[in-house]
Amino acid sequence: MRPIVNLLFALFFVLIGPGRAVAAEPDPYAPDRQALIKLFREIEASINAQDVNRMLAQMHPQATVTWLNGEVSRGHAEIKAYYDRMLRGEQRTLDRYLTTARLGASAHFFGNGEVAVADGTMEDEFFPVARGPFRLSSNWTSTSAKIDGKWQVVSMHLSSNVFTNSLIAEAKAAIWYAAAGAGFAGLLLGGLLGRLWRRR
């Protein structure tokens, strides 16, 4: 048994080779990745704090955002106007919007490392004014640029599955409940009419 073990160790060292590095090559973008993660976490925190100005601080003044409802905002003024319309004032749609974001994979760098593209998922919770809260799983893609040594989001796209989500499931359930209620009402009405007919 011992000679076999020694042979395996010998083969292992032959394959590895003397002085060959076992560890992977160092990531040249490691500091940038850390900066990007910090940026994304700050955006997540600003959303959960309902602080649009804190979010805008992480975005380029000409940034573009495509929201979950398909609306597009270009630049800080439009992004803020959308946020205020959705979450502030008497005509607002939402009281609150919370999210938990996750990175899907490591960011890809372009343009000599000055541009980074990343994507991931979000678990969102909405608190509408006109109805009860609901949850939605969504996806995000973000393009960031390193401008004057600082990473800023220049484009962000949010999307969700329009065919399978909690709102679709809720609508389907409502249709079934309505159909069942209509069927039950029809049976009651039929029974009542039948009883009246027999009395004649």
Side-chain angles (χ1 to χ4, degrees):
M1 186 68 182
R2 180 106 184 148
I4 294 175
V5 174
N6 290 338
L7 178 61
L8 290 175
F9 271 113
L11 287 173
F12 173 78
F13 283 112
V14 167
L15 290 173
I16 294 298
R20 184 178 296 177
V22 178
E25 290 291 325
D27 182 3
Y29 298 116
D32 295 302
R33 295 187 196 282
Q34 291 302 315
L36 287 168
I37 289 173
K38 183 178 179 181
L39 183 152
F40 295 146
R41 291 302 172 213
E42 182 65 14
I43 290 180
E44 178 189 43
S46 68
I47 291 171
N48 292 331
Q50 319 300 304
D51 189 341
V52 66
N53 292 319
R54 181 178 174 184
M55 179 172 65
L56 290 174
Q58 314 307 315
M59 296 181 170
H60 188 271
Q62 298 176 359
T64 297
V65 178
T66 301
W67 305 97
L68 280 170
N69 65 350
E71 190 170 339
V72 179
S73 299
R74 299 176 180 89
H76 280 193
E78 289 189 11
I79 294 170
K80 188 175 189 304
Y82 175 89
Y83 188 92
D84 288 344
R85 175 161 50 83
M86 295 295 288
L87 286 126
R88 293 177 178 168
E90 293 183 0
Q91 302 300 317
R92 68 189 183 279
T93 302
L94 302 170
D95 282 327
R96 277 191 302 157
Y97 161 45
L98 304 176
T99 189
T100 301
R102 292 182 178 84
L103 188 65
S106 298
H108 294 286
F109 290 85
F110 304 92
N112 298 318
E114 300 296 310
V115 176
V117 177
D119 67 90
T121 60
M122 296 188 300
E123 294 299 324
D124 304 316
E125 189 170 9
F126 299 90
F127 298 83
V129 174
R131 51 152 293 165
F134 66 91
R135 295 177 180 272
L136 194 66
S137 298
S138 56
N139 298 286
W140 61 268
T141 302
S142 176
T143 301
S144 301
K146 197 174 187 179
I147 301 170
D148 297 329
K150 179 183 177 182
W151 284 102
Q152 293 180 299
V153 172
V154 296
S155 178
M156 182 171 287
H157 192 286
L158 310 176
S159 64
S160 186
N161 188 333
V162 297
F163 302 109
T164 306
N165 60 56
S166 59
L167 293 178
I168 296 293
E170 184 179 295
K172 287 181 178 178
I175 290 171
W176 280 108
Y177 284 131
F184 183 67
L187 288 174
L188 287 177
L189 182 59
L192 179 60
L193 290 175
R195 201 174 288 175
L196 291 172
W197 181 262
R198 285 194 296 271
R199 284 181 181 177
R200 284 185 174 184

